[in-house]
Amino acid sequence: MNPLKVGDESYESFNAEKSGILSSLAQRAKALEDAFNSLEAVTCNKAEGAMYLFPRLHLPSKAIEAAKAVNAAPNAFYACRLLDATGIIVVLGSGFGQVPGTYHIRCTILPQEDKIPDIISRLSAFHESFIEEFCD
C-alpha cells in the first residue's frame, strides 16, 4: 500500500529484488511463448500483464475425431495426453472465453526459471509425437 521510496532504508534491496523477479518472469514468459510458437500447429500470443500463456492448438482432424470418440473436448484430450506423457499440467482454454470451434490451453509461466528448459523439452517431444500420431 505504501511502497518504499528512494532514500528509504531498504529501498535499494527492495528494488533489486523486485527487478530480478520481474525480469525472471519476463524471461520465462518469452521462453515459453517462443517454444509454443516453434511447435507445429500451435500459435501463441505474448503474455501481457498476466502469468499465463494461452496457446491455440490447431489440431489435426484425426485428433479431433479421437477426442470425440472418447467423449472429450479436443483440447481436453490433448491436455490429458500431455499430463499422462510428461507430468505437465495445463488448464483448458475453453473456460476463458475462447472462440467456439477453436482449441486453447492455458499454461502458467511460474515454474522456476531453471526448470523451464526441461519443461520445454518434454512439451516439444510430446507435441511432436502427438502430431505425428494424429497427422491427417
Side-chain angles (χ1 to χ4, degrees):
M1 299 297 291
N2 296 313
L4 296 171
K5 298 178 215 63
V6 175
D8 287 348
E9 185 176 335
S10 48
Y11 175 80
E12 294 300 324
S13 62
F14 164 79
N15 200 44
E17 184 176 346
K18 176 182 159 189
S19 294
I21 290 168
L22 293 176
S23 174
S24 178
L25 286 169
Q27 290 171 10
R28 290 180 255 178
K30 180 67 172 144
L32 286 165
E33 173 196 337
D34 289 347
F36 280 119
N37 282 321
S38 75
L39 299 176
E40 180 182 351
V42 176
T43 54
C44 185
N45 292 330
K46 184 177 180 178
E48 294 186 20
M51 293 181 275
Y52 303 99
L53 293 167
F54 289 89
R56 180 176 177 182
L57 308 173
H58 305 273
L59 298 172
S61 58
K62 287 182 182 176
I64 294 169
E65 292 166 14
K68 289 179 181 175
V70 295
N71 200 30
N75 54 348
F77 180 72
Y78 181 93
C80 287
R81 297 276 302 257
L82 175 65
L83 177 60
D84 289 343
T86 67
I88 297 170
I89 194 162
V90 294
V91 177
L92 304 183
S94 52
F96 301 93
Q98 72 185 15
V99 174
T102 65
Y103 309 109
H104 296 76
I105 54 175
R106 183 179 85 159
C107 173
T108 184
I109 63 166
L110 291 177
Q112 292 97 348
E113 195 170 345
D114 64 335
K115 297 193 185 307
I116 297 293
D118 179 58
I119 292 167
I120 290 170
S121 177
R122 289 184 288 139
L123 170 68
S124 298
F126 163 79
H127 185 78
E128 183 178 318
S129 174
F130 183 90
I131 292 297
E132 187 176 302
E133 180 181 349
F134 295 104
C135 71
D136 292 327

